Amino acid sequence: MEKKAELDTPRVGFGLYVHWPFCLAKCPYCDFNSHVRHGGIDSGAFGQALVRELKQFAQRTKGRTVTSVFFGGGTPSLMPPDTVGDVLDAAADYWGIASNAEVTLEANPTSAEASHFRGYRIAGVNRVSVGVQALNEADLKMLGRQHSVAEALKAFRAAVQTFPQTSFDLIYARPHQSLAAWRAELQQALSEQQGHMSLYQLTIEPGTPFAGLHARGKLILPDDDAAADLYNVTQELTVAAGVPAYEVSNHAWPGRQSRHNMLYWRYGEYAGIGPGAHSRLIDVTGQRVGVSTLRDPQDWQSQVVAVGHGICEEVAISATDAARERLLMGLRLVEGIELADLEFGAGTSIDTDKLDHLIDHGLVVAPAPGRVAATPAGRMVLDAVIDVLAV
């Protein structure tokens, strides 16, 4: 990938998100924009559409240098490695990619998808997030996963041998999951991880099969107290293993944080291509703009072929909305947020009385002058904290 000079890139970086919407099967808990195509996929034509839309976004963000790329989905480990390479080459041509850029691809640990690892590395991927999700067979089946525990561990170990950085991803607070079972499972995962873990609590998302089962009382998750205990054990074990949380659900060795996701949480600028992708761009006047593309893959592809992009909505983000977004993202991070950044984005300041109220209740701290961060207790009720602080 040829590199260009770095010009006019925001201080927190400039990211590129690439959405591959196809899956072998739809997981019953998933509300992402993912689709199963039993008739097959024309990967070549779809990849060409990604590259064409990328060009459109590059034309409106000239002078940027890409500092991180994230291939998400769907199941991006179903992408042919050549398609990944084509997208990265186009990004290098149109923007330029920083020499130290992080390039992440989400991967499912089936044998067929793991066979692509060497091709992804050659294409330019240097970080893989492996969706292990559970370390027992019954729960993998319940979650609709297509791999076994042995297959997952084999794929993760292959990823460690292939890529400079990896993430070991798990879902917890699953139905009937006991504290002892999660403790044992997490300890096993900690013995395998290589510097980064994404540990998500299972949530019920509207419109998913799990939502229907939950509404009928056929899927019962741990109650709030049990979920809090599971969360606390997660913090205890990861800290003891030297992989502390740096965000609500993400843990890392020092220096191994996901740079692309940090860009989101630090409210940076990024372009999202592919069906259902979202962008946060800054125009020449400094106005932050939200851009969304068509969710249906066929509709998106047809529009890209016709006009060069799949954009269906573009809105200017008001100062108030920007302040709320910046708070919501920044307070997910253990490092918190600079109040000066918030004031710059919103044109106003946080009510100090409200801030003091949250500090008194142990939900927020001021770790340094001009900085505010949620405590572990505050991150557990982050929406309520935001409601108090939001302008």
Side-chain angles (χ1 to χ4, degrees):
M1 297 178 292
E2 182 183 354
K3 312 297 190 298
K4 292 183 179 180
E6 298 188 15
L7 299 170
D8 301 325
T9 302
R11 64 182 175 85
V12 297
F14 176 74
L16 172 64
Y17 174 79
V18 182
H19 192 77
W20 185 265
F22 305 113
C23 292
L24 293 175
K26 184 80 170 179
C27 295
Y29 58 85
C30 177
D31 70 338
F32 293 164
N33 187 34
S34 57
H35 304 262
V36 178
R37 291 289 185 265
H38 298 295
I41 303 161
D42 187 341
S43 297
F46 199 84
Q48 290 173 7
L50 288 172
V51 168
R52 187 170 185 193
E53 184 169 66
L54 184 152
K55 182 178 181 180
Q56 287 278 332
F57 278 92
Q59 288 174 342
R60 63 187 296 175
T61 51
K62 292 180 179 178
R64 310 293 198 275
T65 297
V66 174
T67 56
S68 64
V69 183
F70 197 100
F71 291 88
T75 308
S77 50
L78 295 174
M79 295 178 72
D82 286 349
T83 300
V84 172
D86 289 344
V87 171
L88 292 175
D89 287 345
D93 287 341
Y94 294 136
W95 279 299
I97 297 180
S99 59
N100 65 343
E102 175 191 272
V103 181
T104 301
L105 184 140
E106 290 181 328
N108 280 342
T110 66
S111 298
E113 292 165 70
S115 68
H116 287 160
F117 283 175
R118 286 186 59 83
Y120 294 143
R121 184 71 188 100
I122 292 168
V125 174
N126 56 28
R127 183 177 181 275
V128 165
S129 182
V130 184
V132 177
Q133 312 307 25
L135 287 172
N136 71 69
E137 304 296 351
D139 281 3
L140 284 175
K141 183 176 181 180
M142 179 270 299
L143 292 170
R145 307 302 289 172
Q146 303 295 301
H147 59 269
S148 66
V149 172
E151 198 171 26
L153 293 175
K154 182 179 179 180
F156 181 78
R157 292 163 186 164
V160 170
Q161 295 298 314
T162 307
F163 302 95
Q165 295 192 52
T166 55
S167 180
F168 194 111
D169 303 348
L170 285 175
I171 295 172
Y172 69 102
R174 306 189 297 259
H176 310 298
Q177 186 175 38
S178 70
L179 199 60
W182 173 235
R183 182 182 287 273
E185 186 173 352
L186 181 54
Q187 286 174 327
Q188 181 183 0
L190 284 164
S191 73
E192 296 281 349
Q193 61 84 26
Q194 293 295 315
H196 192 281
M197 303 184 78
S198 292
L199 305 172
Y200 301 105
Q201 288 199 29
L202 180 62
T203 56
I204 301 298
E205 303 296 343
T208 62
F210 270 11
L213 291 172
H214 187 261
R216 296 194 297 274
K218 295 184 177 181
L219 183 76
I220 300 174
L221 300 188
D223 62 24
D224 289 346
D225 288 342
D229 289 342
L230 291 164
Y231 174 84
N232 289 331
V233 164
T234 302
Q235 310 316 305
E236 171 199 331
L237 294 182
T238 53
V239 167
V243 196
Y246 66 94
E247 187 268 344
V248 172
S249 302
N250 286 273
H251 304 251
W253 293 342
R256 286 294 186 90
Q257 297 90 343
S258 167
R259 289 171 54 198
H260 187 82
N261 285 335
M262 288 292 285
L263 182 145
Y264 292 158
W265 296 319
R266 287 172 172 165
Y267 208 48
E269 184 183 25
Y270 57 93
I273 66 168
H278 298 274
S279 303
R280 286 293 184 269
L281 305 177
I282 301 171
D283 68 18
V284 294
T285 70
Q287 171 68 54
R288 189 172 288 268
V289 179
V291 180
S292 304
T293 59
L294 292 165
R295 288 178 58 86
D296 181 82
Q298 187 57 53
D299 292 345
W300 170 85
Q301 188 172 353
S302 296
Q303 184 169 309
V304 172
V305 170
V307 300
H309 64 79
I311 295 171
C312 62
E313 183 178 37
E314 186 167 339
V315 296
I317 300 172
S318 70
T320 298
D321 288 343
R324 186 177 181 87
E325 286 186 354
R326 190 181 288 272
L327 275 171
L328 183 62
M329 302 302 280
L331 289 184
R332 293 183 66 88
L333 292 169
V334 171
E335 71 179 26
I337 187 171
E338 293 281 353
L339 293 178
D341 286 344
L342 177 66
E343 290 166 2
F344 175 81
T348 187
S349 60
I350 283 181
D351 185 318
T352 55
D353 289 338
K354 293 179 179 179
L355 184 58
D356 289 342
H357 173 77
L358 292 171
I359 291 174
D360 290 343
H361 283 77
L363 299 176
V364 165
V365 294
R371 175 170 284 275
V372 61
T375 64
R379 289 194 293 276
M380 293 181 69
V381 290
L382 194 56
D383 285 347
V385 172
I386 300 300
D387 285 341
V388 171
L389 289 177
V391 181

